Amino acid sequence: MTSSQSRDFRLATLNILEDFTGEKLRLEETQRALLNLLEDFDLEKTKVQKARDVLEDRVAERTTELTQANARLQAALADVRRSNEELEQFAYVASHDLQEPLRMVSSYTQLLARHFGDELDDDAGKYMSYAVDGAKRMQQLIEGLLAYSRVGTRGKPLEVTDSHSMLEEALRNLAASVEESGAVVTSDDLPAVRADSTQLVQVFQNLVGNAVKFRKPDVPPRIHVSAGHEPAAEAAAEWIFSVHDNGIGIDPRYADRIFAIFQRLHARDEYPGAGIGLALCKHIVERHGGRIWFESKPGEGSTFCFTLPD
Ligand code: ADP
C-alpha cells in the first residue's frame, strides 16, 4: 500500500467512525425516548386499569340494583295479576250466583204482568212494566259481567287456530241480523293464529255485530274483514286484523271510553245493548297478548283493529 493509499484508508476509517458515533448517539436518544414512552405507557396502563376497575364495580353495583328492582317489579306484577284473578273469580262467582234469584224475580214479575196486567190501573201497570224492564236489564248486565269474568277464569289454552273458520262461525251466529239488515260482509283470506277459538269467534262476532248494529239509517251495511302485517320490520311479529264498516262512525275522543265495561255512547232505545261487547273484545285480545283500537270519523264509518302475535 502506498503512503497516499494508507492516508486515504485512515481518512475513510475516521469518517466511518464519525458516522458510527453519530448513529450510536441517535440510537441512544431513540432508546431513551422509547424508555420514556414505555414508562408513560405503563403509567397510562395503570390509570386505564384503575378506571376499568371502577367501571366494573359500578356496573356490578348497577346490575345488582337492576336485578333487585326487577325482582320487586316482578313481585308487584305477580301481586297485581293475583288480585286481578281474585277479582275476576269474585265477579264470576257473584254474577253466576246472582243469576238464579234474578231469574226468579224476572220470571215472576213477567208472570204477574201477564196474568194481572189487565186488572191493574194505569199507574200500577206502568210500575209493573218498569219492574219487568229493570229485571231484564239487570239480567243483561249480569250476563255481561259473567261473560267478561269468564275470559280469564274459563279461557281455553291458546292453540293454532284458523281465524277464517272462526269468522265464518261468527257470521253463522249473526246470520239473522245480517240478513235482516241487508248487510254484505266480505273478507280477505285470514291467517292461522295461536288463539282460544271460542274467544276469537266472540271477538269477530262482537265487532261484526256492532258494524251491523251501528249502521246508518237507509244505508245497507258494507263490512270488510282483513288481516295483514305492519310494514315496519319490528312489527312483523304480529297480525293486524281489521273490521271496516260504513256505519255511523265514532268521535275519536271516545277512544278509551267505549272499551270500558258497561260504557255506551247511545241511549238503549236508540241502539240496544249493554255496553259489554268491546270491553269483552279488549279483555280477550289482551289475554292473547294483543292490542285493540279503532279509527273513525263521525258519519264516515269505523275500522276496528286488533293484533294477535304471529
Ligand atoms: P254495545 O254495543 O252494547 O253498546 P259495545 O261495548 O259493543 O257495547 O260498544 C260500546 C259503544 O261503542 C257503543 O255503544 C257504540 O256507541 C260504540 N260502537 C261500537 N262499535 C261501533 C261501530 N262499529 N260503529 C259506531 N259505533 C260503535
Side-chain angles (χ1 to χ4, degrees):
M1 193 190 288
T2 65
S3 67
S4 86
Q5 273 177 331
S6 117
R7 203 184 55 232
D8 286 350
F9 180 71
R10 263 208 317 275
L11 264 176
T13 312
L14 274 174
N15 278 342
I16 288 172
L17 272 175
E18 228 171 68
D19 283 357
F20 182 73
T21 317
E23 279 307 319
K24 200 179 139 211
L25 279 173
R26 272 195 294 280
L27 264 176
E28 276 170 2
E29 259 171 41
T30 314
Q31 201 184 29
R32 261 197 306 278
L34 271 175
L35 279 173
N36 282 344
L37 261 178
L38 274 176
E39 239 169 57
D40 284 358
F41 181 72
D42 270 352
L43 217 71
E44 285 304 319
K45 214 173 101 185
T46 321
K47 274 193 214 156
V48 167
Q49 185 65 47
K50 265 192 200 149
R52 217 172 73 183
D53 289 350
V54 171
L55 210 68
E56 272 173 8
D57 283 354
R58 283 220 191 124
V59 168
E61 254 171 52
R62 273 293 157 89
T63 311
T64 318
E65 276 170 22
L66 280 177
T67 314
Q68 283 168 353
N70 191 30
R72 281 198 297 273
L73 197 72
Q74 292 302 330
L77 269 177
D79 270 357
V80 169
R81 221 170 283 138
R82 204 173 316 116
S83 52
N84 259 349
E85 276 164 19
E86 278 169 15
L87 212 69
E88 205 157 36
Q89 189 65 34
F90 170 76
Y92 176 76
V93 173
S95 43
H96 184 266
D97 290 1
L98 278 173
Q99 269 191 322
E100 193 42 44
L102 189 62
R103 218 171 276 142
M104 282 181 70
V105 173
S106 179
S107 41
Y108 281 107
T109 39
Q110 281 176 50
L111 266 179
L112 270 176
R114 209 174 308 140
H115 286 285
F116 304 104
D118 297 341
E119 295 165 33
L120 300 173
D121 65 24
D122 282 355
D123 277 350
K126 214 162 56 187
Y127 302 152
M128 182 67 83
S129 77
Y130 290 161
V132 170
D133 270 2
K136 272 192 200 152
R137 249 187 69 211
M138 194 154 164
Q139 247 175 333
Q140 232 185 7
L141 294 176
I142 281 183
E143 270 160 23
L145 198 59
L146 193 59
Y148 188 86
S149 59
R150 271 192 182 126
V151 172
T153 55
R154 298 291 179 276
K156 291 187 295 185
L158 310 188
E159 285 171 353
V160 176
T161 307
D162 172 23
S163 60
H164 207 105
S165 311
M166 298 308 109
L167 173 66
E168 280 170 353
E169 193 175 329
L171 293 179
R172 275 195 295 279
N173 297 340
L174 290 168
S177 60
V178 167
E179 200 187 308
E180 180 233 320
S181 64
V184 177
V185 186
T186 52
S187 84
D188 294 346
D189 237 2
L190 301 182
V193 284
R194 276 179 60 74
D196 173 333
S197 53
T198 313
Q199 294 188 344
L200 191 54
V201 172
Q202 263 183 316
V203 171
F204 282 133
Q205 197 169 318
N206 289 343
L207 295 183
V208 177
N210 276 350
V212 172
K213 178 161 68 170
F214 297 103
R215 61 181 177 268
K216 286 181 190 156
D218 309 325
V219 181
R222 293 270 175 283
I223 301 158
H224 186 71
V225 184
S226 55
H229 286 297
E230 189 83 59
E234 79 268 15
E238 59 185 21
W239 283 103
I240 303 179
F241 289 82
S242 44
V243 178
H244 177 74
D245 68 49
N246 60 343
I248 59 171
I250 313 165
D251 191 327
R253 85 189 131 126
Y254 298 122
D256 289 332
R257 186 164 149 194
I258 62 167
F259 292 104
I261 193 163
F262 300 140
Q263 290 289 337
R264 328 192 51 231
L265 305 180
H266 303 276
R268 259 172 300 114
D269 52 6
E270 207 182 351
Y271 293 98
I276 192 82
L278 289 180
L280 208 61
C281 289
K282 184 169 191 277
H283 197 15
I284 292 175
V285 167
E286 287 177 353
R287 179 186 168 229
H288 284 70
R291 295 164 286 126
I292 187 165
W293 69 96
F294 72 85
E295 286 152 18
S296 178
K297 271 191 199 152
E300 292 182 25
S302 320
T303 306
F304 277 83
C305 304
F306 67 92
T307 63
L308 288 181
D310 187 356

